[in-house]
Amino acid sequence: MTRAPGRGRGPAAPRSVDVARLAGVSQKTVSRVFNDEPYVSADVRRRVLEAAEELGYRRNNAARALASGRTHTIGVVTLGTALYGPASLLMGIERAARDTGYALRVVNTLEGDPGGVPGAVNSLLDQGVDGIVISEPIDEQSDEGEQWEPSVAVPVLVLGAPPPFAGSTVLTAGVGAGLMARAATEHLLCLGHTTVHHLAGPQRWYAARDRLGGWRAALAAHGSHEPPVIEGDWSAASGYAAGRALAADPEVTAVFAANDDMAIGLLRALAESGRRAPEDVSVVGFDDIPVAAYVTPPLTTVRQPFDAVAQEGLKRLVHAIENPRADPVPASGPPVDLVVRASTAPPPDLAGGRRADQLSRTHPGDSAAPIGGPAPTADQPLSRGAAG
């Protein structure tokens, strides 16, 4: 519904009262629908949303902010990088925010700047945000180990890292990388490999530390020897360099790489060195980047639930903003989604033997077949619970 144009003016913007009239409800009911309040039937909600769409109604966020004392904006502190993990998580936050009714203000930090996070948070607080998401994957403490101790009065959600400070309301999400790394390592151990080498990420990154810890926990649980760790920088080039060193060691039969890019570089180095994957060396990556299914061989990897983490985290943050006296919404256990492809198999001394056949039957969720059997033709996610 639009009003007749006035002299020298275009049509007036539709108001909530126009939506209420078209939907056959009260103006208060329209407000309840757009504030996502409970006790509104599905039929009434549908009528109000359809009327709003027909009229082209958009709520007046400025008036809403004055009435509620909130700006309905959430600040996001994130590392300015094109790396797959941080970039995918930021995209997940942006998608999840559309369902919350809150706008985002994003501030990028730079790697190597200890003052980046404090400065970003203070900038967002100056803009009056109602809550803050910190998606900062790097430990930027000074050489003296000094911690930043800000005073933040708004709720804060920290993604995939320890909280950088203590506050009145600090929530965490996306902290299951250790469990995922443990599942990846255990997949190789259950195939019969006596140990698993680790191509780690840079240890200033919290995610790299978590994956290293998960790898170590799996080896310890199985009583396996812990080989020396090779540290890369997340790039395929560093994986290639590590792969050339690992390929020269005939004792290496299995490698867990801390991300898919390094795993892909590793596969290239193995192939050039005459070490076949998975016949001679099995490789598991981490992230499940889009190209992982199309390299040779297709890469077994752990799929990160970026969208799920962002959606649940923002839901909990918005609840804390709008219900400051209520208990926090409990977090669910992180899913572990191991996608088994053709880059993993039993070690060479077991391939084709009775032991390899027993392993294959013992772990039906693992699609890697004994050597000589058919290669898997489709991704097979192996979902496991949060318990490691």
Side-chain angles (χ1 to χ4, degrees), residues 277-340:
E279 292 88 347
D280 300 318
V281 181
S282 289
V283 178
V284 177
F286 200 104
D287 283 336
D288 195 24
I289 64 177
V291 75
Y294 302 99
V295 296
T296 303
L299 181 64
T300 294
T301 186
V302 180
R303 180 176 295 152
Q304 288 222 66
F306 295 113
D307 285 346
V309 167
Q311 188 170 14
E312 179 182 344
L314 280 186
K315 178 181 178 181
R316 297 175 65 219
L317 179 62
V318 169
H319 178 270
I321 292 170
E322 299 183 349
N323 304 275
R325 293 181 178 83
D327 292 334
V329 174
S332 62
V336 177
D337 191 3
L338 178 64
V339 184
V340 179

Side-chain angles (χ1 to χ4, degrees), residues 29 40 48 90 110 114 140 150 152 168 174-175 192 207 219 237 244 264 277 296 301 333 335 344 373 378 380 382 386:
T29 298
V40 179
V48 168
L90 178 58
L110 297 176
E140 296 289 12
V152 180
S168 57
V175 292
L219 293 182
R244 290 178 65 86
I264 290 170
T296 303
T301 186
T344 53
Q380 294 187 14
L382 178 61

Side-chain angles (χ1 to χ4, degrees), residues 55-151:
L55 296 173
Y57 168 77
R58 299 176 67 88
R59 21 179 205 185
N60 187 331
N61 285 328
R64 187 181 177 209
L66 288 173
S68 65
R70 298 194 299 266
T71 62
H72 281 82
T73 58
I74 292 174
V76 180
V77 179
T78 184
L79 183 69
T81 176
L83 287 172
Y84 182 78
S88 296
L89 191 53
L90 178 58
M91 290 175 61
I93 294 169
E94 291 174 335
R95 283 192 289 264
R98 298 171 191 167
D99 299 328
T100 67
Y102 282 72
L104 293 183
R105 293 178 180 172
V106 179
V107 177
N108 289 310
T109 59
L110 297 176
E111 185 172 354
D113 179 10
V117 174
V121 169
N122 288 329
S123 172
L124 291 168
L125 291 174
D126 289 343
Q127 297 176 58
V129 297
D130 298 323
I132 292 176
V133 177
I134 296 181
S135 181
E136 172 60 41
I138 299 179
D139 184 355
E140 296 289 12
Q141 293 185 41
S142 67
D143 293 338
E144 292 76 25
E146 296 177 357
Q147 288 280 0
W148 173 50
E149 297 182 359
S151 175

Side-chain angles (χ1 to χ4, degrees), residues 212-239:
L212 176 65
W215 167 75
R216 282 181 168 151
L219 293 182
H222 285 254
S224 299
H225 165 68
E226 182 181 310
V229 175
I230 298 179
E231 184 174 329
D233 63 6
W234 300 127
S235 70
S238 69

